[in-house]
Amino acid sequence: MRVVVADDNLLVREGLAALLREAGMDVVGQCASADDLLVKVRSYKPDVAVVDVRMPPTNTDEGLRAAREIRSRHPETGVMILSQYLEVSLAMRLLAESAEGLGYLLKDRVTDLEEFTSALRRVAEGGSALDPLVVSQLLSGGRNGDPLGSLTPREREVLELVAQGRSNKAIAEELVITVRAVQKHVTSIFGKLNLPATDDDHRRILAVLTYLRA
Amino acid sequence: VLWPLGAAAELAALVLLFRSTGDATAVDVTNRAVGGSFIACGLIAWQRRPENRTGVLMTLVGFLFLAEPLLVEVDSSVAYTLGQVAANWWVIPFAALVLGFPSGHLSTRIDRLIVAGFVFATVVLQVLWVFFLEFPGGKTNVLLLSADAGVADAIDTFQRWFFVVLALALVVVGVERWFRAPAPLRRLLLPTLAGSAAMLILALLVVYQLAVGIPSRGSQTVLALVLVMVPLAFLFGLLRAQLARGGLADLVVALRGAPEAPNLGEVLAEALQDPSLVLAYWLPRFERYADAEGRPIELPADGSGRTATFLDHDGTRVAVLVHDAALSYEPELLEVVCAAADLALEQERLQTELKARAQELAGSRARLVTAGDTARRRLERDLHDGAQQRLVSLAMALRLAEARIQDDPDAAGQLVASARDELAQSLEELRELARGIHPAMLDHGIEVALKSLATRSSFPVSLAVELEDRLPEPIETAVYFVASEALANVGKYAQASTVTIRVSRDNGLAVIEVADDGVGGADDSRGSGLRGLADRVEALGGSLAVLSPVGGGTVLTAEMPCGS
């Protein structure tokens, strides 16, 4: 899998590249700015770009804007946003438009190499990845008469994983249950939350995120 | 002296009246009493209002009124002649009294003309008349030039008509003045009206005599009665406090409400019952008066019927009341009203000051909040770009080392070594950050903290801490940051070779002074750092001053109250 890494901090960028190579990925480019990132994505056409939210010159949301641009101009390249902070509303704004080929993870996640590469692969293949902390924050925002309260603990676990962008198969492996059992839970969850049933992973995460955001 | 003199004169006049005729009528008695009435009321008025000429004029009227009856009784032809000459002199001060009330001063030309006319009629014409008059009853006229009844009669007739014209003119002026006054002030001018009425009766009496040939007994009676009453009216008019009582109560109530600039003038106008009253504020910058809306106000000219009363506070001109001249003759009332106005203005000034202070406070509070936000944002950025990134890369380095520790121990060892360096640097950065948030050295006292500050400085700093015991914690913190910011500024701009920091406690004030020998020219209105320092110091009730002449070094002084 071909990867471009964008982070203005040299240590982080190099460390990240070293880790990804360690995981057997092909780091085809490293960049310290959003402009450089766009150039490298256009020339190398990587499967996925790993992008820091804050980059020069303003150190605010250059990474996010670059991510949107990559997604609209180079749909074949997935984007994994890395953030130092838990910025739930930022993540939601980004993913709720289109979760396809897009991920948002805290920077710390990179040290759990297996989880990180699997999330990267998902995004590269057009799927989604949402940081577990973001998901649990969304789920903990209790609303009055919230149908979330009617979920069983198991259903809640499944919902969290769905919101993180995992497939039924991945969820089944994680929870050590059968794919059929996961399907059953998902159907039940969607029924309880009054969401339209769908088999499409992408539409599924959008529906869930839209529900949680409301 | 004048009291016994007046009493004696009146007594003598009455005694003589009874001795000479034997059957004195009530009218005669009343007529003689006029003099005493004027003298008594005049003396009272004089005593109570020494600055007012009304009392003097009344006393003069009284004595002149008694002059003729007394002089003619003296067994001397000179005195008799003088008595004849002076018979009507009392009319002069009487006219002045009526026209000049309430001050006793003749302020307009017509007033002075009328009084001058009376002088001419009662002195010049009278003397002329006496020149040609042969006194009846064998009295010798010492002024007799040539006895000529025809000439004397002609002069007498002319004098009488002239007198009538003057009297009517006086009546017209008096009544007109009364009508022109604002309604509430008319009460004040009642004596003028009464005097005019007496003058009118006098004129009618003369006309009647001229027409019929003999004096009218009835009108003489009325005249005598009116003349006895007139001085009472004047005295009452001068001393009464009626107006004051009602108006002042309203004033106090109104001022207790909201003494705001736009209606203070109205409140005062009401209290003084003068709708034409204008309150004008003194504007020292423009050296002129202006009303509450800022329109310039000119002070009234003399004789315009309007007068200015000045309001001063602690010797400084504050405002002026421009009002009807008649009010000047209620000095006590004016004084009380001015005192009330002064209080109201002072209160207003304090309120304005308070508002300004509150505004300043809100501004400094907003700046403190902003400064806090800015500091937090900087802190966050420092953490984000520094320690956090280092820790992330540290985590990644350790993760890589872990992966290689089996098959490439050398590489893993290098990674661990670089990770250790990273960690040391992270710790140093965190320490720096923490000191920016709160200088931990302060826990050991301001002197220790300032010493460590001085040690870290790139130029020599001499330190003098003259404190016997520790300052309150917020003051210590402020002193520390003043020193820290000042040293940072010296390093940035001053090009100084030495800096002296002196901390002392003086009369309940903690004082820190940072002086350098650099280029000077620091401007506390420019730097946000100095502004932030000033806010911090002012928040503790203190003040920050920067003395920085170009080329003369910079002395920054902060003083904060510290309880003892």
Side-chain angles (χ1 to χ4, degrees):
Chain A
M1 197 165 69
R2 292 151 54 77
V3 187
V4 167
V5 177
D7 194 311
D8 60 309
N9 187 296
L10 177 72
L11 285 171
V12 174
R13 195 167 68 233
E14 291 291 348
L16 205 50
L19 272 182
L20 291 174
R21 287 197 190 97
E22 184 78 18
M25 298 201 177
D26 184 9
V27 179
V28 294
Q30 295 186 31
C31 19
S33 73
D35 291 343
D36 194 21
L37 168 66
L38 290 174
V39 170
K40 293 212 158 94
V41 166
R42 195 166 61 228
S43 0
Y44 303 144
K45 303 209 182 312
D47 298 306
V48 65
V50 179
V51 182
D52 186 18
V53 173
R54 295 190 192 182
M55 272 189 290
T58 68
N59 281 307
T60 51
D61 64 346
E62 275 78 5
L64 286 186
R65 282 189 270 135
R68 282 207 194 92
E69 194 154 339
I70 293 169
R71 286 304 301 147
S72 67
R73 289 210 198 157
H74 312 283
E76 70 285 359
T77 298
V79 178
M80 175 63 81
I81 307 276
L82 291 186
S83 171
Q84 192 82 264
Y85 302 110
L86 191 62
E87 289 165 301
V88 176
S89 61
L90 205 76
M92 294 312 292
R93 232 180 34 228
L94 187 74
L95 290 177
E97 288 166 22
S98 160
E100 207 170 342
L102 213 54
Y104 177 95
L105 290 180
L106 284 177
K107 229 174 230 181
D108 326 12
R109 304 291 171 212
V110 299
T111 48
D112 189 343
L113 209 49
E114 288 70 33
E115 280 288 339
F116 183 55
T117 48
S118 107
L120 267 188
R121 265 182 236 291
R122 218 158 57 230
V123 169
E125 286 156 13
S128 308
L130 188 55
D131 197 275
L133 254 180
V134 175
V135 172
S136 67
Q137 282 221 346
L138 286 173
L139 285 171
S140 69
R143 284 156 292 183
N144 238 0
D146 196 336
L148 286 177
S150 63
L151 300 183
T152 64
R154 184 55 113 187
E155 284 169 349
R156 210 180 157 91
E157 277 179 303
V158 172
L159 178 62
E160 278 186 34
L161 292 169
V162 167
Q164 285 173 25
R166 317 273 187 120
S167 64
N168 282 357
K169 187 165 163 284
I171 295 171
E173 279 166 20
E174 175 86 23
L175 298 179
V176 203
I177 51 176
T178 63
V179 173
R180 274 191 60 89
V182 174
Q183 275 171 343
K184 242 183 70 188
H185 286 308
V186 170
T187 310
S188 164
I189 293 164
F190 272 57
K192 282 180 180 174
L193 301 186
N194 202 16
L195 296 173
T198 169
D199 284 337
D200 183 274
D201 280 357
H202 173 59
R203 273 208 232 136
R204 190 169 77 173
I205 186 172
L206 259 194
V208 169
L209 289 182
T210 308
Y211 176 83
L212 291 177
R213 214 162 82 113
Chain B
V1 181
L2 288 172
W3 270 111
L5 198 63
E10 178 61 38
L11 202 64
L14 286 174
V15 169
L16 288 171
L17 174 70
F18 286 109
R19 271 230 333 244
S20 62
T21 55
D23 58 341
T25 59
V27 177
D28 293 328
V29 176
T30 315
N31 222 338
R32 294 283 157 102
V34 169
S37 171
F38 268 102
I39 292 172
C41 292
L43 287 175
I44 293 172
W46 199 348
Q47 245 167 9
R48 300 281 293 270
R49 291 282 173 80
E51 79 290 348
N52 193 300
R53 277 209 339 215
T54 300
V56 181
L57 287 171
M58 281 162 72
T59 313
L60 197 58
V61 171
F63 278 111
L64 288 175
F65 200 86
L66 290 175
E68 189 251 5
L70 288 176
L71 284 170
V72 296
E73 294 297 334
V74 177
D75 192 14
S76 145
S77 52
V78 175
Y80 187 86
T81 310
L82 198 61
Q84 290 300 324
V85 170
N88 293 317
W89 285 7
W90 65 272
V91 178
I92 302 168
F94 184 75
L97 181 65
V98 173
L99 292 171
F101 189 79
S103 72
H105 289 276
L106 301 173
S107 53
T108 68
R109 234 180 108 201
I110 181 90
D111 290 350
R112 288 191 283 268
L113 265 177
I114 292 173
V115 173
F118 276 115
V119 171
F120 179 71
T122 59
V123 179
V124 180
L125 290 178
Q126 188 87 359
V127 171
L128 265 180
W129 176 60
V130 171
F131 280 161
F132 300 101
L133 184 69
E134 201 171 349
F135 292 153
K139 302 275 182 185
T140 314
N141 184 349
V142 294
L143 285 174
L144 189 66
L145 289 180
S146 73
D148 188 331
V151 176
D153 265 358
I155 293 173
D156 184 47
T157 308
F158 174 70
Q159 186 202 27
R160 282 166 196 264
W161 279 117
F162 187 66
F163 181 88
V164 168
V165 171
L166 286 174
L168 289 177
L170 181 142
V171 169
V172 169
V173 170
V175 171
E176 194 258 341
R177 192 158 295 166
W178 184 79
F179 266 112
R180 217 181 37 193
L185 293 178
R186 284 184 182 169
R187 287 188 290 163
L188 208 61
L189 289 173
L190 268 180
T192 308
L193 206 59
S196 301
M199 218 46 165
L200 183 65
I201 296 165
L202 196 59
L204 290 175
L205 194 66
V206 175
V207 171
Y208 181 86
Q209 212 174 348
L210 278 169
V212 183
I214 50 152
S216 151
R217 204 72 192 158
S219 54
Q220 264 183 336
T221 315
V222 175
L223 178 65
L225 281 171
V226 168
L227 279 180
V228 171
M229 302 305 285
V230 162
L232 288 172
F234 275 93
L235 180 64
F236 176 72
L238 206 59
L239 299 181
R240 79 215 176 80
Q242 263 182 327
L243 198 57
R245 264 184 262 124
L248 282 182
D250 291 344
L251 177 67
V252 170
V253 170
L255 288 183
R256 202 184 55 180
E260 271 154 25
N263 66 28
L264 180 60
E266 285 167 35
V267 170
L268 294 177
E270 203 162 309
L272 287 169
Q273 304 196 8
D274 177 5
S276 69
L277 180 139
V278 174
L279 173 69
Y281 300 87
W282 174 243
L283 306 176
R285 266 182 58 202
F286 303 99
E287 302 211 315
R288 69 191 316 170
Y289 294 94
D291 65 9
E293 269 87 56
R295 289 183 293 259
I297 298 289
E298 295 299 329
L299 294 184
D302 276 348
S304 65
R306 302 186 57 73
T307 303
T309 300
F310 298 100
L311 287 175
D312 295 339
H313 190 88
D314 291 342
T316 317
R317 177 62 35 88
V318 176
V320 64
L321 291 178
V322 179
H323 52 80
D324 197 284
L327 278 178
S328 308
Y329 313 116
E330 303 234 50
E332 287 95 348
L333 177 62
L334 255 183
E335 200 177 311
V336 171
V337 168
C338 286
D342 182 39
L343 277 180
L345 286 171
E346 181 64 8
Q347 191 182 344
E348 195 184 305
R349 194 183 64 73
L350 288 175
Q351 270 181 355
T352 311
E353 205 176 287
L354 204 65
K355 266 185 221 159
R357 192 70 73 83
Q359 225 159 30
E360 197 182 294
L361 206 63
S364 95
R365 199 152 56 181
R367 282 196 299 275
L368 280 179
V369 170
T370 312
D373 288 348
T374 311
R376 271 200 299 277
R377 192 170 304 123
R378 201 178 55 216
L379 206 60
E380 184 267 346
R381 179 60 48 82
D382 287 351
L383 278 170
H384 177 272
D385 295 345
Q388 266 183 327
Q389 302 278 24
R390 289 191 190 284
L391 290 175
V392 167
S393 63
L394 190 62
M396 293 189 294
L398 286 175
R399 179 66 185 77
L400 281 172
E402 183 193 7
R404 295 192 188 162
I405 204 155
Q406 295 295 332
D407 40 282
D408 192 354
D410 282 356
Q414 270 175 12
L415 279 168
V416 171
S418 76
R420 200 187 51 215
D421 287 348
E422 284 285 299
L423 195 58
Q425 284 202 32
S426 303
L427 283 171
E428 178 57 31
E429 274 179 19
L430 283 173
R431 233 187 334 266
E432 280 294 322
L433 268 176
R435 190 165 50 219
I437 301 167
H438 176 78
M441 282 297 176
L442 268 179
D443 296 342
H444 307 288
I446 186 70
E447 188 160 7
V448 175
L450 290 180
K451 258 182 196 149
S452 99
L453 206 56
T455 313
R456 283 209 307 278
S457 171
S458 56
F459 37 83
V461 176
S462 73
L463 184 66
V465 177
E466 297 152 7
L467 294 172
E468 276 160 25
D469 38 28
R470 292 193 61 169
L471 295 167
E473 202 181 304
I475 310 258
E476 277 194 340
T477 310
V479 165
Y480 177 86
F481 279 110
V482 167
S484 157
E485 179 75 25
L487 286 181
N489 283 342
V490 171
K492 269 188 263 180
Y493 313 112
Q495 304 160 33
S497 57
T498 61
V499 179
T500 311
I501 298 179
R502 180 183 301 276
V503 182
S504 59
R505 189 200 293 246
D506 181 27
N507 266 335
L509 280 179
V511 183
I512 172 167
E513 185 188 279
V514 183
D516 68 56
D517 58 354
V519 295
D523 181 359
D524 64 341
S525 66
R526 212 167 43 194
S528 68
L530 278 179
R531 186 63 252 174
L533 271 193
D535 282 343
R536 188 188 277 270
V537 171
E538 278 159 20
L540 294 167
S543 63
L544 183 83
V546 179
L547 183 69
S548 186
V550 174
T554 300
V555 179
L556 184 148
T557 313
E559 296 183 336
M560 288 158 279
C562 60
S564 58

